[in-house]
Amino acid sequence: MTRVPVVIIGAGGFGREVHDVIEATNAAAAGQSVSQSYEVVGFLDDGHTDAALIHERGLSVLGPVSYLADLAADVQFVIAIGDGQVRRRLDMWASELGRQSPVVVHPTAVVGNHRVVMGPGTILCAGTIVTTNVRLGRHVHLNLGVTVGHDSVLGDYVTVNPNASVSGNAVLEESVNLGTCASVIQGRRVAARTTVGAGAVVARDLPPDVTAVGMPAVALRRRGNDSKGLVAWARRREEAGGNL
Ligand SMILES: CC(C)(COP(=O)(O)OP(=O)(O)OC[C@H]1O[C@@H](n2cnc3c(N)ncnc32)[C@H](O)[C@@H]1OP(=O)(O)O)[C@@H](O)C(=O)NCCC(=O)NCCS
């Protein structure tokens, strides 16, 4: 069995979790329940990292992200960074260098046998369920316990946080971030780059570039605007009959 050399971009908490996913995959490959295994060569990160937590894993931060260009040509990359827009930039840069990304699937994930397509760099953490006729774009993250129902489409760089659920026929456009325990009911569409807060329920379509919270989730502010008073703003919006 070939072991694919891979570097993890992002040495924070999620980077370590992605390393766990890869270790679990390697263990399953040793037991022959999955066919692919990986040799993690290390982490790359531009920021401050907790070196001790990385060293405990027998690995190190090899350098900044730009160091990817200096690694052996066959080293592939996975991006363990929660921000989809950052993943998008890194993916475009690394792909221009000719680097490839594997799809990394925890052995406890359940992936339907029919028409499930996953783009390069996509990561499925433990306990995820993806049913049937589902399309996941490039570098999609499905965190712990996430479910994605039939005929749904998740665009490139979508992030779905722990225990969130996406019902059937839903669409999450590019770089959408679905918060922990949030849900999208069937047939709804969340437009590009929108963040859905933890626990929110997407019962109506959401526009692009907003942060939305609550049940039903309502768009509270545009991307880049100050978040202070988000809930106060929502109250004023409600009092104004939704006309703010
Ligand atoms: C919605 C969200 C993006 C807003 O973040 P923010 O802009 O930093 O907002 P703040 O934390 O400053 O909170 C602003 C207000 O919104 C409220 N609020 C924050 N998140 C909320 C949510 N999910 N639902 C309802 N209200 C929320 C806060 O209580 C606060 O209210 P207040 O002004 O009355 O005190 C964020 O709180 C969230 O839910 N992110 C998802 C996190 C997640 O899933 N992480 C996964 C990691 S694995």
Side-chain angles (χ1 to χ4, degrees), residues 143 161-162 179-180 195-199 211-214 221 227 229-232 235:
N143 214 310
N161 285 300
T180 300
T195 293
V196 177
T211 296
V213 298
R221 65 182 158 84
S227 71
L230 191 149
V231 164
R235 272 188 218 113

Side-chain angles (χ1 to χ4, degrees), residues 107-185:
T108 62
V110 176
V111 178
N113 289 328
H114 302 281
R115 289 178 174 263
V116 175
V117 179
M118 296 188 267
T122 284
I123 299 169
L124 270 53
C125 296
T128 52
I129 301 176
V130 178
T131 65
T132 185
N133 193 28
V134 170
R135 205 145 33 92
L136 305 178
R138 298 179 69 83
H139 295 272
V140 169
H141 287 178
L142 301 188
N143 214 310
L144 302 166
V146 161
T147 61
V148 181
H150 62 89
D151 309 303
S152 287
V153 178
L154 277 59
D156 296 341
Y157 317 113
V158 163
T159 307
V160 186
N161 285 300
N163 293 316
S165 79
V166 179
S167 302
N169 287 308
V171 177
L172 306 187
E173 294 181 1
E174 185 238 307
S175 296
V176 160
N177 187 317
L178 191 61
T180 300
C181 293
S183 50
V184 179
I185 70 169

Side-chain angles (χ1 to χ4, degrees), residues 1-24:
M1 184 195 315
T2 52
R3 276 166 81 83
V4 174
V6 68
V7 70
I8 300 172
I9 298 180
F14 189 58
R16 284 180 275 116
E17 289 182 346
V18 168
H19 182 235
D20 288 346
V21 175
I22 292 174
E23 281 189 323

